[in-house]
Structures are given as structure tokens and as C-alpha cells.
Amino acid sequence: SQFWGVKDPRLCSSLFTWIEYGRMDRSHVKVVHVRRRLEPAVRSSMSFISIRNFCDGTEEGVRKMLARYAELAQWHVDALKLPTLSFDYEELIKTPEPVIRRIAEFLGVMDERKIRRAIKIVGKGKGMFALQLERYFIRAPRRIFYHLTGRNPDGTPRDK
């Protein structure tokens, strides 16, 4: 089976529209809903000018933007009734193996090698300074998806 994914908070406000206008076939959509506590997400986001540029660049602006994204994401989960796997980001970081195994099961990934590789990338670089650590963890869910599905970011198959 083929997978593709989108990790973009703006999808939190537009998934309904994509489905309603036929750009996504709801029978092929699964949602992996990652929740994160607001204050750690704000602190992390303030490290990235690209994120700050989506709002007024202030901590309060980032807080409002992230709170709204979380609200919209939850609305989509509740309203669209799509197959959804929800978990807390902090749970992924604290206990990656059970979370990765739940993601793999949800996506129908049975390849133990891919699952083990995905588990290994969570928490890598724990000795790095804080900014690099945050950058890695922000990207962890996307990297997990690519490892589990055997795809590159551009959708091509990953070399075995």
C-alpha cells in the first residue's frame, strides 16, 4: 500500500475544505492527531523565525496561533469522523516504542524493521544543545512517518 502525509499545522484549518471539494477522498484519509501542551510548543516555536512569521512574531501571537491550530485540529477530529489516532507529543518523547507501534498498527505497517528504525529516531541527539534538540523533536513525527511508510519526503520509495 502507498502512503503520503502532510505535516503542516495549516491543514488544521483546511482539511474539511479539501475533502468537501473533492481534492481528498475521505475513504483514503487517516488522521494522526498529535496534541502538545501549549507552553512548551510556544517556547519551541519562538526558536523559529519561519513560525513566528505566521503571526505577529511575539510570544503572545505564537500562543494564540498555536491555540487556534489545536482548536481547529480537534474540531476536524470531532466533526469529520475520519479514522483517527490521537496521542500526546510528550508521550511520544517519553515512551516512543508503544506510540510508534500504535502508529504502525493504525497505518497497517507490519514490517518490524521499519518500526524499529522509526523507534530509534525518537530521542536521538539527547546530548545536543537545546535548540538542536527542539528542532529534532519537531521533525520527529514526520521522520517517523517516512520511516514507517518506506517513502522519501517527495513520495518516492526509500531504498531498502
Side-chain angles (χ1 to χ4, degrees), residues 3 30 32-34 85-87 92 96-109 115 118 122 140-141 144-145 148-149:
F3 295 93
K30 289 186 174 186
V32 177
H33 177 217
V34 183
L85 173 67
S86 295
F87 59 88
L92 170 65
E97 184 169 354
V99 176
I100 299 300
R101 291 194 179 279
R102 286 196 332 251
I103 295 169
E105 181 180 356
F106 178 70
L107 296 175
V109 175
I115 296 169
V122 178
I144 290 165
F145 176 81
L148 286 174
T149 61

Side-chain angles (χ1 to χ4, degrees), residues 99-143:
V99 176
I100 299 300
R101 291 194 179 279
R102 286 196 332 251
I103 295 169
E105 181 180 356
F106 178 70
L107 296 175
V109 175
M110 306 307 245
D111 186 329
E112 185 62 28
R113 183 172 162 256
K114 289 179 182 178
I115 296 169
R116 283 193 314 271
R117 284 176 53 206
I119 292 166
K120 284 182 183 180
I121 67 170
V122 178
K124 184 178 177 184
K126 290 180 181 175
M128 298 170 68
F129 63 98
L131 179 59
Q132 291 299 324
L133 185 63
E134 286 295 322
R135 284 183 179 164
Y136 184 81
F137 284 143
I138 286 170
R139 295 183 183 132
R142 183 178 351 166
R143 290 181 184 197

Side-chain angles (χ1 to χ4, degrees), residues 11 14 37 39 51 70 78 108 124 154:
L11 190 63
S14 62
R37 290 191 328 257
E39 290 311 310
I51 295 173
D78 296 341
K124 184 178 177 184
D154 66 0

Side-chain angles (χ1 to χ4, degrees), residues 145-158:
F145 176 81
Y146 293 135
H147 281 291
L148 286 174
T149 61
R151 310 296 275 168
N152 291 311
D154 66 0
T156 60
R158 197 179 272 282

